[in-house]
């Protein structure tokens, strides 16, 4: 049994997909298809998704409205290359944004539509929390600070 697990936001990196697109026509075609759909969402003269992935700049790639379609595109490019070599998943899953890639890989959502949807999704998320505002924190070691209400040594 083969399963594909697609990543969520945070796995982006300038240069991602460039070697894959150079080596495999399926990947190259995926990036070109994504560019056409991405331009639909940004209008003429907007950034090229392929350029953002391959060359950056990083501060533009990491904008949520760019990151999300970029990760989707990279994921589907890899899945299409694998498919061209006879490797098909029996199961697909995704973490957060990766759910869109999983749906495209499963054939339940068209790729170009998914690019437009995650572009908008990223834009709306970015508008809700502008760049430079907001924060995230993790709290570690709570079981060492206070006893578990059940009286056991650990709540985990």
């Amino acid at each position: 049994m083969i399963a594909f697990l697609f990543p969520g936001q945070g796995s982006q990196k300038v240069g991602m997909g460039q070697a894959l697109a150079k080596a495999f026509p399926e990947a190259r075609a995926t990036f070109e298809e994504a560019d056409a759909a991405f331009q639909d969402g940004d209008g003429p003269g907007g950034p090229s998704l392929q350029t953002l992935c391959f060359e950056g700049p990083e501060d533009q790639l990491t904008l949520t409205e760019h990151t999300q379609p970029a990760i989707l595109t990279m994921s589907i490019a890899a899945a299409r290359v694998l498919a061209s070599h006879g490797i098909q998943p029996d199961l697909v899953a995704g973490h957060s944004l990766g759910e869109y890639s999983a749906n495209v890989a499963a054939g339940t959502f068209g790729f170009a539509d998914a690019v437009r949807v995650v572009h908008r999704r990223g834009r709306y998320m970015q508008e809700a929390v502008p760049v430079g505002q907001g924060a995230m924190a993790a709290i570690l070691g709570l079981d060492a600070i206070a006893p578990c209400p059940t009286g056991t040594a650990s709540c985990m």
Side-chain angles (χ1 to χ4, degrees):
M1 182 171 291
I2 297 174
F4 289 176
L5 176 61
F6 295 97
Q9 189 167 332
S11 56
Q12 71 278 356
K13 181 179 187 308
V14 171
M16 67 179 184
Q18 188 170 20
L20 199 65
K22 282 184 181 178
F24 299 100
E26 299 83 7
R28 195 167 35 258
T30 301
F31 276 95
E32 289 167 2
E33 184 182 351
D35 256 350
F38 189 71
Q39 292 297 320
D40 286 351
D42 252 7
S48 159
L49 188 60
Q50 190 168 190
T51 300
L52 288 171
C53 289
F54 296 173
E55 302 169 21
E58 185 176 3
D59 67 325
Q60 289 297 304
L61 177 61
T62 57
L63 292 174
T64 301
E65 70 176 296
H66 298 157
T67 297
Q68 293 197 6
I71 292 171
L72 169 77
T73 301
M74 179 63 221
S75 295
I76 297 306
R80 288 178 173 176
V81 168
L82 290 170
S84 76
H85 288 84
I87 302 170
Q88 293 282 357
D90 299 301
L91 304 166
V92 293
H95 172 255
S96 187
L97 167 69
E99 294 171 355
Y100 291 89
S101 300
N103 272 284
V104 172
T108 57
F109 210 89
F111 176 60
D113 290 335
V115 170
R116 286 187 284 272
V117 167
V118 300
H119 187 196
R120 287 188 186 107
R121 176 183 189 255
R123 180 177 292 151
Y124 300 148
M125 290 171 73
Q126 194 168 300
E127 288 171 359
V129 181
V131 175
Q133 294 184 13
M136 185 180 291
I139 301 173
L140 305 173
L142 283 180
D143 58 338
I145 297 171
C148 184
T150 61
T152 60
S154 175
C155 290
M156 304 296 167

